[in-house]
Amino acid sequence: LHLDTHVAPAAFAVGEQLRVSGVTFLEAYIVAREVGARLMQALDGRRVEGRGVSHRGWWHVGLVGPLDAALVAARLLKLDEHGIATALGIASVSVGGFRRNLGTMAKSLGSAKSARDGVEAALLARSGFTADPAILESAVGLIHALCPDGEFDYDAMYEGLGSTYNLESAPMCKPFPACGPANSQIDSVLELVRGTRIDPLEVQRVAVNFHPLSLFRPDARDESEAGFSTPYIIAATLIDREFGLRQLAGDRIHDHRIRALMQRIEDDPS
């Protein structure tokens, strides 16, 4: 899902200017998306073990995004192998971003900047601008700077290359406008309240995993924070018996009943 927030805008921007065919557009998009998915998995595959770039606070969109956007732009611009590698080197200047910005406007800005900076990198490479073409794997390059020895999963980059594609697993479309882990929480609450007479105002305590790696906004002061706040998401879903765009509006975020119920929702990692 996150891959498309930088690959697609970059592809549309360059493809529209060059008036490329649909086939050319799709080839560039699929290749760039696949590379991005593999690089993301290689960088952050240890996440399930409580390790990896995400657990240290990096936001993977900011790490992979500029490179991925540069790749799709470079392919549409028909750069040769050295030109594509140089574009990645230039794009590496823009690599960065931290998970702490989740739940703020800056989170989405990361995707926008990645797309923009990637396109810029490809255009600069086409014009003769230089960068190290081996920025990914060389000593003191991106991988060595981000990952301790043994953490980067090289197999993820090459296993099944050319025979299996990330797109085959159909991109997930979130049913609710909230951070990914919250969607299962919302489903659970809706399953609980449907067909029952539970009065949310009589609920004394709700224990739920706050998922502190992503849903770490205990309050919900605005629509950006609301989708990353477990207390708000659970309380709003219990009271409104739904969670959609309406629950991200100011009148719902500041509803006194929701605010009161939020105080009775507790973190339970178990």
Side-chain angles (χ1 to χ4, degrees):
L1 180 65
H2 293 132
L3 290 166
D4 293 318
T5 66
H6 40 266
V7 178
F12 279 116
V14 177
E16 182 179 23
Q17 288 296 312
L18 299 178
R19 302 183 69 83
V20 301
S21 69
V23 170
T24 299
F25 177 91
L26 286 173
E27 285 179 345
Y29 167 77
I30 291 169
V31 168
R33 196 184 187 285
E34 182 67 19
V35 171
R38 288 175 174 272
L39 182 56
M40 190 180 297
Q41 176 64 25
L43 282 169
D44 210 25
R46 308 296 186 190
R47 179 172 175 172
V48 295
E49 304 170 8
R51 302 166 55 199
V53 292
S54 284
H55 276 267
R56 289 193 293 276
W58 291 102
W59 176 228
H60 57 266
V61 168
L63 299 182
V64 175
L67 305 171
D68 221 6
L71 178 57
V72 73
R75 188 173 176 90
L76 289 171
L77 290 167
K78 299 184 185 301
L79 300 190
D80 60 17
E81 182 178 339
H82 179 76
I84 293 174
T86 299
L88 293 176
I90 298 169
S92 72
V93 173
S94 301
V95 165
F98 304 99
R99 298 187 69 84
R100 192 65 204 178
N101 271 324
L102 299 185
T104 73
M105 292 180 180
K107 183 257 189 183
S108 298
L109 180 62
S111 293
K113 279 182 56 61
S114 291
R116 182 196 68 186
D117 292 351
V119 171
E120 179 184 67
L123 292 172
L124 286 172
R126 185 179 66 169
S127 69
F129 202 88
T130 65
D132 193 320
I135 198 70
L136 294 183
E137 65 272 34
S138 293
V140 299
L142 184 139
I143 292 171
H144 286 270
L146 290 174
C147 300
D149 288 344
E151 185 177 271
F152 188 83
D153 183 4
Y154 285 95
D155 289 342
M157 292 295 297
Y158 307 112
E159 188 176 357
L161 187 63
S163 60
T164 60
Y165 293 87
N166 180 263
L167 271 174
E168 290 178 328
S169 58
M172 180 188 73
C173 293
K174 294 190 293 186
F176 307 107
C179 187
N183 279 245
S184 60
Q185 297 175 348
I186 296 168
D187 263 332
S188 297
V189 173
L190 291 177
E191 184 177 349
L192 179 67
V193 299
R194 283 178 182 142
T196 70
R197 295 184 178 182
I198 292 177
D199 184 348
L201 300 182
E202 294 182 357
V203 172
Q204 297 300 308
R205 176 177 176 268
V206 177
V208 60
N209 186 344
F210 277 20
H211 289 281
L213 193 62
S214 300
L215 296 165
F216 49 72
R217 300 291 169 187
D219 199 357
R221 294 169 294 185
D222 55 36
E223 62 272 19
S224 295
E225 291 190 352
F228 291 82
S229 170
T230 295
Y232 174 76
I233 291 166
I234 298 297
T237 306
L238 273 170
I239 288 178
D240 292 347
R241 295 179 176 243
E242 64 175 357
F243 195 91
L245 293 178
R246 190 174 79 88
Q247 280 63 48
L248 299 182
D251 64 320
R252 302 313 302 138
I253 293 172
H254 300 292
D255 182 276
H256 71 278
R257 297 175 304 163
I258 294 177
R259 307 304 296 189
L261 183 53
M262 286 173 63
Q263 304 305 312
R264 301 196 290 276
I265 298 173
E266 302 173 4
D267 184 21
D268 183 2
S270 63

